[in-house]
Amino acid sequence: MALSGQQRDQTERRVRAAIDRLLAGQIPPGGACDVKTLAREAGISRASLYRTWGHLKDEFEKRRAAAWAAGRQPDPREARIARLRDLNQRITSKLARTHTELTQLKERHQLLLSVLAAKDDEIQRLRRELSTSATALDQRQGTNSEASFPCPAADATPQ
């Protein structure tokens, strides 16, 4: 069934009015700023919008893209999705940086533990050397290490 000129004009006005409403941010409940909602708001089928009113569909998509490029987002859901995607990307990047930093800190911790263990081993070795040197020195002097350092409790005689 062919449309009369008046019906075509009326339908075109409805589609243009729906375009203006959607791009102004007047999104109906359960709808979005998309072709499907445009057809529903204009009162025509989506197939008809694609076949008969394709030039208006293209105009809608161009104006919607221009609004996006200008920083306006007519559909609050899409704006929220874009914000959440951006937030997700920033958090993911921060998590990756934190993971890298944690890995570096763990490696540094292991290195420092190794250095600390080596220093402890060196201290133990030096103590043994000192003890061995003191014993050898005492033996060369002919004294024993206990006599070199008298203990006051040992010298006291009980009465």
Side-chain angles (χ1 to χ4, degrees):
M1 173 170 142
L3 294 176
S4 68
Q6 184 181 12
Q7 289 173 321
R8 287 184 65 80
D9 289 342
Q10 192 177 39
T11 302
E12 186 169 340
R13 279 195 301 274
R14 283 196 327 259
V15 173
R16 288 188 184 280
I19 289 172
D20 291 338
R21 283 193 311 274
L22 291 176
L23 293 177
Q26 298 173 9
I27 311 297
C33 190
D34 61 4
V35 174
K36 180 179 176 182
T37 305
L38 174 62
R40 189 175 63 216
E41 284 293 296
I44 60 175
S45 71
R46 196 166 50 177
S48 175
L49 182 62
Y50 277 90
R51 276 183 275 141
T52 310
W53 307 102
H55 65 286
L56 293 176
K57 178 193 76 68
D58 293 340
E59 177 185 332
F60 169 70
E61 290 174 340
K62 285 178 188 173
R63 287 177 58 189
R64 183 178 60 183
W68 263 91
R72 290 185 306 110
Q73 179 48 264
D75 190 346
R77 285 183 339 171
E78 288 182 26
R80 184 168 186 222
I81 289 170
R83 279 193 312 274
L84 290 173
R85 280 189 181 136
D86 181 53
L87 178 63
N88 187 37
Q89 183 179 14
R90 285 189 318 227
I91 290 172
T92 302
S93 297
K94 185 175 182 177
L95 180 62
R97 286 190 311 270
T98 302
H99 179 70
T100 301
E101 184 180 333
L102 178 62
T103 302
Q104 291 171 347
L105 288 173
K106 283 181 179 180
E107 290 170 359
R108 177 94 170 133
H109 181 257
Q110 286 295 356
L111 175 68
L112 291 175
L113 283 176
S114 298
V115 168
L116 186 59
K119 293 295 182 184
D120 186 55
D121 288 345
E122 184 179 359
I123 289 170
Q124 296 300 323
R125 181 186 58 80
L126 291 172
R127 283 182 179 158
R128 284 191 304 273
E129 280 182 22
L130 182 61
S131 175
T132 305
S133 297
T135 304
L137 181 63
D138 286 344
Q139 288 174 354
R140 268 189 274 146
Q141 291 177 350
T143 62
N144 95 28
S145 62
E146 292 176 6
S148 299
F149 301 101
C151 181
D155 292 338
T157 56
Q159 294 185 7

